[in-house]
Structures are given as C-alpha cells and as structure tokens.
C-alpha cells in the first residue's frame, strides 16, 4: 500500500513538473500536501459551479470551467463560473490570471493543442466582455498533455476538458 | 512464371561466377527480372546463404552479417526466406564450386544470394552476388567495404541494393524515425533507425516536446516544446546543433516540411489557428489558410504544390487538400466526424490518416489523393494514430495502444504484418519517418 502511494506521488509530481509548475506555486497555494489516501478521492461532478477547480494543489479562488467533447463553447454552468471568477478579479484588481486550456485524452494530440487554445481564449474573451482588462489575462494551451486525471472514463474525460485558472 | 521456371529448370546450367566482375548493377538483366516478376505476385522467394569465410575472425564477421542481412530483408516484408538446399554447391568442399541451380529451383527459390567475407587489418570486405535461379544467371555483384563498427551499414547497403535490384525502387534502409517518448518522465524527442535499432535521445528540455519532423534532406529537425512557457516551434540544425525558437503570441505547433527549406506550422497570433509557411531562419514566407476554425497538421504532396491538413472549418475536424497556388481547398474525408493526422505518401498517390470511430477506437485509413479507394488498415486494436510513410512508401509507422500503453508499430502500406517496432520503456508516440536515407 505504502509503495502504491509513493508511486502515485511520483507520477503526480512528474506530471506537474512537465506541465504547469505555475499552478503549483501560485501565491496563495500551500506546498503540495503529503500523499493523499488513494481511495479517498471522491469524484467531484464537473457541473458544480461552486468551485476551486479540480487541481488538488490549486487553492486559488478561481474555479475551472468545463466543456463538451471537441467543443470550445461555454455552457450555462461555464458562464456562471466565469461570472464568479470575473467578480473576484474585479475585487482583486492587483491580480491577474493565467488561463490554461486543456483537453481529454481522446481525439488526437495535435488537434487538441489547438482546441485547448480555443477553450482558454473563449474563457478569456468572456471575462473581457465582463470588464476584466485583457492585460490581466494570459492564456496557454496544454492540449491533452496535462490531464487532471489519467483515468479513462466519461467522468475523467469530463474533468479534463477544462479551462483552468492560475492566479498571477 | 511457373511455366517459365519449369522449362528453364529442365536444363542443367553450369555457371561460373568469376565471369561477372562488374561491380555495377546489370541494368538490363535487372529490368528484365522486374518485368518477369510483375507477371507473378507477392513475395520474392529468396535463398540467402551465410557469406563464406576462411579464418576465425572472418567466420565471426560472416555470422554477424548473416544476422544483419537476414533481419534486414525480413523487415521489408518483401521476401519469403527459404533455407539453402544441402546440395547447393556441386562440390561442397570447394568454396568456388558451381551453384546447383537445379537444387535451388526444386526448393522453390526465385533468387539466390551469397558471397564471401574477407578481413584485412580490420577492414571488412563483403563480396555479394545475386542470381536469378530460374535463368541460372547472375543479376548483380558488388563488394561492400568498411570497418568492424560499420558492419550494420555494410549489411544494409547490400540489402538496399538487393531491394532496388529486385523491385526497381529505393528501400527503407538507411532511413530514420523520430518520435516522442516519456521514458524519462518528460516527453522528449528520440530518433532510431528504420528498424527500431540504435535509439538516441535528441532533446533533454525536461519540458513537453512534441511532433518531431525531419526535413527531407535530414539537415533540420522541427518540433514543438513548452520551454518558453507556451507551445513554440523549434528548428534544430542537426549539423551545428543550434536550435532556433519560433515563438509568437498563441501557439506555434505541429510542423510539416514542404521541402528542405520551408516548413509549415500553425500560428494563432490573430486568435485563429491558421497554417503558415516559414523558412528555416524563422521568417514567414506565406500564410496558407485564413478560415476561422482550427487548421493544423500540414502534410505536403511530394512536389510541394498541394497541402493536406486538418480543419474544423465545417465544425468537426476533417482533412482537406489545398492547392497552394490557387488557394482552393477541397474536403478529402467523409467517414465519420473526426478525421485527423494526414500523411501524404512519398509517391504522391495516397494519404494515410486516423479516424476516431463511434466505438471510441481510433483507426488508420488510407485513401487516394482524389478521395477514392478508401481502405482501413487497423481495427479492434485500441487507438491507432499518427501514421507516417516510409520513404519508399512500402510501410507505415504508427502509434498503437493495443498492448495497453502507447507504443510504436509498423505495418505494410496495405496493413499487413503489424508488429512492434521498439522495445523501450514508457509511452512512445508521434513517429515521423524520414524521407532521406543515410
């Protein structure tokens, strides 16, 4: 069991190192917690708009927004989350955000890099229309390279199709 | 073919190899041979004898060359290998004895090849001769030389000549495959020989490196990585090892070479992902696409006049072909809602690509460049992606998850003989086969 936990941590660290170190070292983020109990990861429904996102090290105030397969269109829930994110940014005008566009592992990697960018851009454009200055918002696409979870099922894919916010 | 062989093999031919001393391919004979073979079909029935050797050193070298040549010709899938008949030589104790073509024909051989190895102060000399067994005559003779370290190259140079002699086309020997592996925990770019041997790690950026592509002349390697914080294009000069980073606002991804001085890539500086042609110094020479959707994954016809690419201009990703001069684009794929990763064949007639099917499987298809003649090459074997043609068009390298994680596989251009290319740790993906041969 111990060994399994260790290997999970190693895999998680490797993924993080290759992907978004920024989401690990956000100003408000505590250091990565010790190995979580592997069985205790309760699945969070992507539809919940309350959120802090699904990145286990992301303790920022900006929630992720989620997309349908092969889509960069904002659902009602996604728009609701962006409004919450927008009002936080309005009240914290010294802060900006890096918006990461992500895709699930289905489809092909090259196309997903472009799709991830469209997801990040559509989230950014929505915030700009809400009045957040575009100079405070940056975007980057990670395509399918940095999944939140490497599980391969509908629930995992739904969590991976996201625009993830990192406070800057 | 059978009649021809039967008639010929009714005679006993005495044959002296020494008559043929020309090191060059006997074009007339080879042309005739290819013409005769076209009447027949499929694989060439080959008898290959381990090269003769006198001393102990020579015997060791001959043994190694035997393995290299045997594995080399086997890799091409062009041959059926037949064991040499015991009475191959009329006088087995005499190394220069006459070949027994009657015996070769009776075991079903169409072609026989053998030769001898000599080693002089470390220099290896391999003298090989190829015979048409039905006609009982030599088609080709050549001597290959090199050092002990070049044994693989010596063997493969012979294999390349053998293939060209018998098929009239250049082969896979000497070509390279670049690919991505996460073996170290990071996605880095690697290179290996056409047969998966001699794996070498080319990048060590500890970032995410993707979509490698070698220029047709082999002087440049283009790939995408995240070292600048966003996906940017790298163009590495493989001669002086200097790497040019092409980074713009938005993405710079998924390069495909048009020729050895121009590479196409997707930029999104104006918010839409479009394909541009850039020179090896990083300057833009032409914007190729202008639609609002995603345009990625350029792959060019051999003459560089047309470009196959993926576009979501109609909603879902489909493959289109654009004429660079007129700018006209025509949709190529209609099977299902998700067709990506086009690879244009070196002969220019076909395009391989991957389709995401309703079942969730991803499979590789090949279609004629005019959209006709669609065939499916993989099925019921997980996700099969990223097809890339060998420089002679005889094979396709691709990624498959059929054994669990993603690994590199090769198959014939019609989907036969699918097998693993590499045995290394981690996932491997995005293979790209070079057009050049060493």
């Amino acid at each position: 069991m111990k060994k399994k936990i260790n290997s999970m941590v190693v895999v998680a660290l490797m993924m993080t190192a290759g992907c978004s170190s920024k989401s690990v070292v956000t100003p408000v983020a505590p250091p990565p917690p010790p190995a979580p109990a592997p069985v205790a990861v309760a699945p969070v429904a992507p539809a919940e708009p309350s959120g802090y996102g699904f990145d286990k090290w992301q303790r920022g105030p900006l929630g992720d927004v989620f997309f349908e397969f092969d889509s960069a269109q904002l659902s009602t829930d996604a728009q609701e989350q962006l409004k919450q994110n927008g009002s936080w940014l309005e009240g914290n005008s010294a802060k900006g955000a890096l918006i990461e566009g992500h895709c699930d592992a289905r489809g092909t990697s090259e196309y997903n890099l472009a799709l991830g960018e469209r997801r990040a851009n559509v989230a950014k454009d929505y915030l700009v229309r809400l009045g957040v200055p575009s100079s405070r918002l940056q975007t980057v696409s990670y395509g399918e390279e940095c999944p939140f979870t490497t599980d391969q099922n509908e629930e995992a894919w739904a969590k991976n199709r996201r625009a993830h916010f990192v406070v800057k | 073919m059978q009649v021809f062989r039967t008639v010929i093999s009714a005679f006993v031919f005495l044959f002296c190899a020494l008559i043929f001393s020309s090191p060059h391919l006997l074009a007339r004979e080879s042309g005739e041979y290819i013409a005769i073979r076209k009447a027949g079909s499929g694989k060439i029935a080959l008898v290959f004898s381990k090269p003769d050797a006198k001393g102990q050193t020579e015997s060791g070298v001959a043994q190694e060359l035997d393995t290299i040549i045997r594995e080399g010709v086997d890799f091409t899938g062009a041959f059926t290998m037949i064991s040499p008949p015991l009475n191959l030589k009329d006088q087995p104790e005499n190394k220069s004895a006459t070949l027994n073509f009657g015996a070769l024909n009776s075991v079903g051989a169409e072609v026989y090849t053998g030769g001898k190895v000599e080693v002089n102060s470390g220099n290896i000399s391999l003298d090989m001769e190829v015979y048409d067994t039905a006609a009982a005559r030599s088609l080709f003779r050549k001597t290959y030389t090199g050092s002990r370290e070049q044994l693989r190259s010596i063997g493969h140079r012979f294999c390349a000549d053998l293939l060209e002699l018998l098929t009239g086309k250049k082969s896979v020997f000497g070509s390279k495959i670049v690919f991505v592996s996460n073996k170290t925990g990071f996605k880095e770019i690697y290179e290996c020989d056409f047969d998966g041997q001699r794996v070498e790690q080319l990048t060590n950026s500890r970032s995410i490196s993707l979509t490698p592509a070698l220029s047709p002349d082999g002087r440049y390697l283009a790939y995408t990585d995240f070292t600048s914080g966003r996906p940017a294009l790298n163009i590495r000069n493989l001669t002086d090892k200097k790497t040019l980073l092409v980074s713009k606002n938005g993405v710079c991804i998924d390069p495909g070479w048009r020729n050895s001085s121009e590479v196409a890539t997707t930029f999104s500086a104006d918010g839409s992902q479009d394909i541009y042609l850039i020179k090896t110094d990083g300057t833009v020479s032409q914007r190729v696409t202008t639609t609002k959707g995603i345009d990625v994954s350029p792959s060019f016809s051999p003459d560089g006049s047309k470009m196959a690419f993926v576009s979501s201009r109609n909603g879902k990703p489909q493959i289109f072909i654009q004429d660079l001069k007129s700018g006209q684009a025509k949709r190529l794929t209609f099977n299902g809602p998700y067709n990506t990763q086009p690879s244009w064949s070196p002969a220019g007639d076909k395009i391989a690509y991957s389709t995401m099917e309703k079942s969730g499987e991803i499979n590789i298809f090949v279609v004629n460049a005019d959209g006709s003649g669609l065939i499916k090459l993989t099925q019921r074997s997980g996700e099969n992606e990223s097809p890339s043609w060998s420089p002679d068009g005889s094979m396709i390298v691709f990624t498959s998850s059929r054994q669990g994680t993603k690994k590199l596989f090769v198959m014939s251009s019609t989907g036969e003989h699918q097998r693993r290319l590499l045995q290394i740790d981690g996932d491997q993906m995005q293979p790209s086969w070079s057009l050049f041969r060493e």
Side-chain angles (χ1 to χ4, degrees):
Chain A
M1 193 61 181
K2 183 79 176 171
K3 197 174 172 195
K4 194 177 170 194
I5 293 171
N6 285 342
S7 67
M8 278 182 61
V9 173
V10 170
V11 169
L13 286 175
M14 269 167 31
M15 267 171 48
T16 314
C19 298
S20 165
S21 53
K22 295 169 197 81
S23 58
V24 183
V25 258
T26 48
V28 285
V39 285
V41 184
V44 185
E48 280 179 24
S50 59
Y52 281 28
F54 290 136
D55 186 328
K56 61 190 89 165
W57 295 298
Q58 166 74 14
R59 294 291 183 273
L62 302 177
D64 289 6
V65 299
F66 297 91
F67 297 87
E68 294 299 311
F69 175 69
D70 189 27
S71 166
Q73 287 189 5
L74 295 171
S75 65
T76 318
D77 285 346
Q79 292 179 34
E80 202 50 50
Q81 182 62 58
L82 285 171
K83 283 174 192 157
Q84 289 187 32
N85 290 0
S87 52
W88 186 89
L89 285 162
E90 204 177 353
N92 294 270
S93 55
K95 301 281 189 191
L98 173 67
I99 309 172
E100 302 175 354
H102 296 273
C103 303
D104 66 29
R106 294 176 304 162
T108 47
S109 155
E110 301 85 355
Y111 183 78
N112 277 341
L113 263 184
L115 180 62
E117 182 178 47
R118 290 180 93 83
R119 287 177 177 166
N121 283 347
V122 78
K124 177 183 171 178
D125 292 348
Y126 194 90
L127 289 173
V128 170
R129 280 202 302 278
L130 290 177
V132 181
S134 84
S135 58
R136 287 167 58 199
L137 300 170
Q138 283 182 296
T139 57
V140 64
S141 173
Y142 282 108
E144 62 181 67
E145 302 303 324
C146 304
F148 167 72
T149 166
T150 53
D151 291 350
Q152 298 297 328
N153 54 53
E154 283 296 343
E155 197 174 281
W157 293 326
K159 289 177 186 174
N160 287 337
R161 295 189 299 261
R162 68 207 194 277
H164 176 69
F165 289 79
V166 181
V167 178
K168 304 289 274 185
Chain B
M1 186 72 195
Q2 195 57 47
V3 174
F4 181 76
R5 188 189 298 159
T6 315
V7 171
I8 298 298
S9 59
F11 299 92
V12 177
F13 283 90
L14 290 177
F15 192 86
C16 179
L18 293 173
I19 294 169
F20 294 90
S21 55
S22 165
H24 300 295
L25 188 150
L26 304 174
R28 190 177 57 83
E29 281 83 351
S30 131
E32 275 173 27
Y33 186 78
I34 294 161
I36 292 164
R37 267 207 56 79
K38 275 181 184 154
S41 65
K43 300 187 174 192
I44 303 168
L46 175 72
V47 169
F48 164 59
S49 292
K50 184 165 77 178
D52 294 333
K54 281 204 178 103
Q56 205 180 345
T57 316
E58 284 82 356
S59 295
V61 170
Q63 186 61 52
E64 282 184 58
L65 281 168
D66 181 68
T67 306
I68 291 164
I69 293 169
R70 206 165 278 284
E71 289 178 354
V73 295
D74 182 57
F75 183 82
T76 65
F79 298 92
T80 304
M81 299 288 271
I82 300 170
S83 299
L86 292 172
N87 53 345
L88 175 64
K89 306 266 171 82
D90 282 346
Q91 299 163 283
E93 70 285 356
N94 181 355
K95 293 286 188 192
S96 62
T98 319
L99 286 169
N100 184 347
F101 286 103
L104 283 166
N105 287 318
S106 69
V107 297
E110 292 174 78
V111 176
Y112 168 77
T113 183
K116 67 171 191 290
V117 169
E118 283 174 6
V119 183
N120 286 314
S121 56
N123 288 321
I124 289 156
S125 157
L126 171 69
D127 185 22
M128 293 297 288
E129 186 148 16
V130 180
Y131 301 87
D132 172 356
T133 57
R137 58 177 186 163
S138 174
L139 294 171
F140 175 79
R141 183 172 177 181
K142 189 170 172 181
T143 302
Y144 303 84
T145 55
S147 67
R148 179 87 198 211
E149 289 70 40
Q150 296 166 323
L151 218 49
R152 230 175 102 79
S153 154
I154 293 171
H156 284 167
R157 273 186 277 143
F158 166 68
C159 290
D161 285 344
L162 181 68
L163 259 290
E164 190 171 353
L165 172 77
L166 301 178
T167 64
K169 290 194 298 188
K170 296 236 180 254
S171 58
V172 295
F173 295 96
S175 61
K176 298 275 187 183
I177 294 168
V178 284
F179 60 97
V180 173
S181 176
N182 66 357
K183 183 170 166 274
T184 61
F186 299 93
K187 283 191 175 176
E188 303 282 4
I189 311 294
Y190 291 72
E191 176 185 80
C192 66
D193 284 359
F194 67 95
D195 58 355
Q197 299 292 309
R198 301 202 299 174
V199 176
E200 197 185 332
Q201 185 175 339
L202 298 182
T203 63
N204 190 20
S205 62
R206 300 169 71 81
S207 158
I208 306 165
S209 300
L210 300 168
T211 59
L214 288 161
S215 63
D217 63 3
R219 286 181 59 209
Y220 295 96
L221 171 72
Y223 61 98
T224 300
D225 81 4
F226 281 72
T227 46
S228 66
R230 60 176 68 250
L233 180 68
N234 291 255
I235 302 175
R236 179 184 292 190
N237 182 326
L238 295 173
T239 314
D240 64 16
K241 310 284 179 201
K242 282 184 183 151
T243 302
L244 177 77
L245 186 71
V246 183
S247 184
K248 308 221 182 250
N249 280 332
V251 295
C252 303
I253 54 170
D254 203 9
W257 292 89
R258 182 190 188 194
N259 52 48
S260 291
S261 55
E262 244 180 348
V263 64
T265 186
T266 294
F267 290 155
S268 59
D270 69 355
S272 165
Q273 293 80 11
D274 281 305
I275 297 174
Y276 294 71
L277 276 167
I278 63 170
K279 297 180 196 154
T280 49
D281 65 5
T283 56
V284 173
S285 55
Q286 188 184 338
R287 179 172 181 163
V288 187
T289 67
T290 52
T291 57
K292 283 200 170 137
I294 293 169
D295 290 332
V296 287
S297 303
S299 177
F300 289 86
S301 61
D303 66 1
S305 68
K306 293 190 173 68
M307 178 182 82
F309 64 104
V310 173
S311 180
S312 68
R313 60 190 62 187
N314 294 355
K316 300 293 175 191
Q318 294 292 349
I319 296 165
F320 288 71
I321 292 180
Q322 182 161 331
D323 184 290
L324 265 69
K325 210 170 180 184
S326 71
Q328 293 291 313
K330 190 169 168 245
R331 183 168 161 185
L332 177 73
T333 54
F334 294 90
N335 60 320
Y338 201 107
N339 294 303
T340 60
Q341 302 178 322
S343 173
W344 209 311
S345 74
D349 55 342
K350 292 177 190 304
I351 290 162
Y353 64 94
S354 69
T355 296
M356 188 170 158
E357 306 202 79
K358 274 186 193 151
S359 61
E361 276 183 26
I362 298 177
N363 282 309
I364 292 169
F365 288 74
V366 167
V367 67
N368 293 330
D370 65 3
S372 68
L374 180 68
I375 56 166
K376 186 174 181 175
L377 301 191
T378 61
Q379 56 192 330
R380 291 188 294 280
S381 51
E383 295 181 352
N384 299 280
E385 299 177 67
S386 304
S388 175
W389 297 83
S390 64
D392 63 344
S394 71
M395 297 172 81
I396 291 172
V397 63
F398 62 104
T399 305
S400 181
S401 67
R402 64 188 63 184
Q403 294 173 352
T405 56
K406 289 185 178 183
K407 301 286 183 186
L408 301 192
F409 282 71
V410 286
M411 61 184 165
S412 81
S413 60
T414 50
E416 285 145 359
H417 200 21
Q418 302 188 8
R419 74 270 194 195
R420 274 281 287 278
L421 178 71
L422 286 171
Q423 305 290 337
I424 63 172
D425 291 341
D427 294 350
Q428 284 86 47
M429 65 280 292
Q430 298 181 331
S432 176
W433 211 319
S434 76
L435 276 175
F436 74 93
R437 302 165 180 85
E438 272 184 346

